[in-house]
Amino acid sequence: MTETPHLFRPFTLRGITSRNRVVISPMCQYSAHDGHLEDWHLVNLGRFAIGGAGIVFTEATAVQKGGRITHGCPGLWTDSQIIGHARVAQFALAHGAIPAVQLGHAGRKSGMQRPWFGNGPLTEADFARGDMPWTPVGPSAMPVGEGWPVPHALSEAEIAALIEDFAAAARRALAAGYKIVEVHGAHGYLIHSFLSPLSNKRTDGYGGDLAGRMRLALEVAVAVRAVWPEDLPMFFRTSAVDGDPAGWTLPDTVELAKRLKALGVDVMDCSSSGIAGSATAAGGGKRQPGFQVPYADAVRHEAGLSTMAVGLITHPQQAEDILAAGKADLIAIGREALVDPMWALHAARALGQDTDYSTWPAQSGWWLAGREKTSDVYRPE
């Protein structure tokens, strides 16, 4: 009997089991209205559940209205937003996928342009479209870069309120039916900006040494874990390195991972950089296939925490090799899933796990199995 590929072995975390190791990474769509998910989100995310992924993440979801990356980003800062998320979560569950949500606050990068309008700070053209600015927040009054607005440095009282808002958003995520919650601590957004010495110049208990700079991340993790059921897993997304020797480093990430594990975090989602500029234009080294896998590998082995590898993982055999080598526990697919929403099902066929379309949804699998029996295939001259 042929051994099941690692990519298609079930993965159990606490009280849930994913049908495989394929995860759809959170990918912002910038198409929400006043923080509410729309039909676009249901169709976009639903196709990944139909496409066979084990876990499907909803995009970065703000815990405060002023924590949105753009005016088009979703939130869970008010109860009226629960129903849109519930539609997504229920559809994913009905089609065999585990619904997951990423909670975050954009911090210094909040209130920026939607990518197709420039992917930078708002301009007069954005104002004319109705996207008006608000004052971003951060650990210190340091802008992301030249031309970006100067953020308001959060007071300790404001930090305490923010932590409560993370917990409140997690409660709403649970009410919506999500089974995994992830805290967004990467890409230069608020939590990452507290972690990095490049952006955190505070002299109080939330700055200074590594312990001080990690404090917000750890307190958010404690608050979310306290309201998230014991039988449901919690992830944390990190930028494992800033890509600047004076910034956040991989040893810092390993130490953070050890602390998060002790607080009940189950998986670290290992990304990188983004402390300056837009997250999608992050630097931090040459981008090549699997360029961030070494971060997942280091955290998994040095901190003893399960990890998710992400970043230019496009081919089924590439994903299988990463898992087989023990470099990660889960594989996050992002832009490749936009190209091929059925990536997981195609991967199963490529790795010999499905030879008869039996793992495809019944509504399409029987059609495709029938097509295999015919020879009516166009062959150009």
Side-chain angles (χ1 to χ4, degrees):
M1 184 174 180
T2 304
E3 188 177 22
T4 302
H6 291 78
L7 191 61
F8 291 96
R9 296 178 187 177
F11 188 58
T12 298
L13 286 165
R14 295 183 183 256
I16 67 166
T17 299
S18 173
R19 59 188 170 187
N20 56 49
R21 308 300 180 99
V22 180
V23 181
I24 301 300
S25 190
M27 288 182 282
C28 293
Q29 299 294 291
Y30 311 103
S31 299
H33 292 89
D34 198 25
H36 292 76
L37 296 185
E38 305 287 347
D39 287 348
W40 173 268
H41 301 90
L42 175 63
V43 174
N44 179 57
L45 294 167
R47 60 184 180 156
F48 303 134
I50 292 173
I55 299 170
V56 176
F57 265 99
T58 299
E59 65 195 81
T61 298
V63 303
Q64 294 179 341
K65 187 172 184 177
R68 292 173 295 168
I69 304 167
T70 75
H71 280 269
C73 291
L76 273 172
W77 67 79
T78 185
D79 288 352
S80 65
Q81 293 161 341
I82 294 173
I83 189 168
H85 286 275
R87 293 175 70 208
V88 169
Q90 290 167 8
F91 188 90
L93 282 170
H95 294 278
I98 304 296
V101 65
Q102 183 187 72
L103 300 179
H105 189 296
R108 303 191 303 166
K109 294 183 176 182
S110 66
M112 62 184 284
Q113 292 174 319
R114 302 173 207 233
W116 46 85
F117 292 140
N119 214 24
L122 294 174
T123 66
E124 291 292 337
D126 299 297
F127 305 157
R129 283 187 283 267
D131 287 352
M132 303 305 293
W134 62 79
T135 301
V137 300
S140 307
M142 294 177 59
V144 174
E146 185 177 352
W148 290 73
V150 177
H152 162 69
L154 289 170
S155 68
E156 292 199 21
E158 290 168 330
I159 290 172
L162 170 75
I163 293 169
E164 285 300 313
D165 286 338
F166 265 96
R171 290 189 193 96
R172 295 186 182 101
L174 182 64
Y178 288 113
K179 303 302 180 184
I180 297 173
V181 65
E182 176 174 271
V183 173
H184 198 344
H187 299 161
Y189 299 133
L190 188 63
I191 292 175
H192 181 195
S193 70
F194 269 79
L195 291 170
S196 176
L198 298 176
S199 49
N200 186 344
K201 303 299 182 182
R202 299 175 74 98
T203 57
D204 63 3
Y206 287 95
D209 62 10
L210 180 61
R213 288 182 282 110
M214 288 196 302
R215 182 178 170 186
L216 177 61
L218 298 176
E219 289 184 352
V220 168
V222 168
V224 172
R225 184 74 266 181
V227 302
W228 199 247
E230 278 296 310
D231 64 338
L232 296 181
M234 178 177 169
F235 289 29
F236 186 97
R237 185 160 199 174
T238 184
S239 280
V241 298
D242 278 343
D244 183 320
W248 183 256
T249 66
L250 185 55
D252 294 337
T253 293
V254 170
E255 181 59 30
L256 176 63
K258 291 176 180 177
R259 297 287 300 276
L260 290 170
K261 180 183 178 183
L263 297 176
V265 170
D266 301 288
V267 175
M268 180 166 273
D269 180 358
C270 298
S271 190
S272 65
S273 79
I275 197 63
S278 71
T280 53
K286 183 179 179 181
R287 295 171 63 89
Q288 56 190 357
F291 71 107
Q292 294 175 148
V293 172
Y295 309 137
D297 188 14
V299 169
R300 189 173 190 267
H301 287 94
E302 296 179 34
L305 182 63
S306 294
T307 59
M308 181 158 71
V310 63
L312 294 184
I313 301 171
T314 59
H315 193 280
Q317 191 61 54
Q318 178 193 12
E320 175 66 10
D321 291 345
I322 292 166
L323 295 174
K327 295 180 178 179
D329 298 277
L330 295 165
I331 299 294
I333 304 298
R335 292 172 225 215
E336 196 66 17
L338 298 178
V339 174
D340 178 10
M342 314 296 278
W343 190 92
L345 291 174
H346 284 136
R349 290 182 61 76
L351 296 175
Q353 184 66 11
D354 181 348
T355 59
D356 58 2
Y357 291 98
S358 59
T359 62
W360 288 57
Q363 297 93 327
S364 56
W366 79 273
W367 283 99
L368 298 173
R371 187 182 68 168
E372 292 286 288
K373 299 174 183 177
T374 73
S375 60
D376 299 332
V377 178
Y378 173 71
R379 302 184 190 282
E381 295 291 337

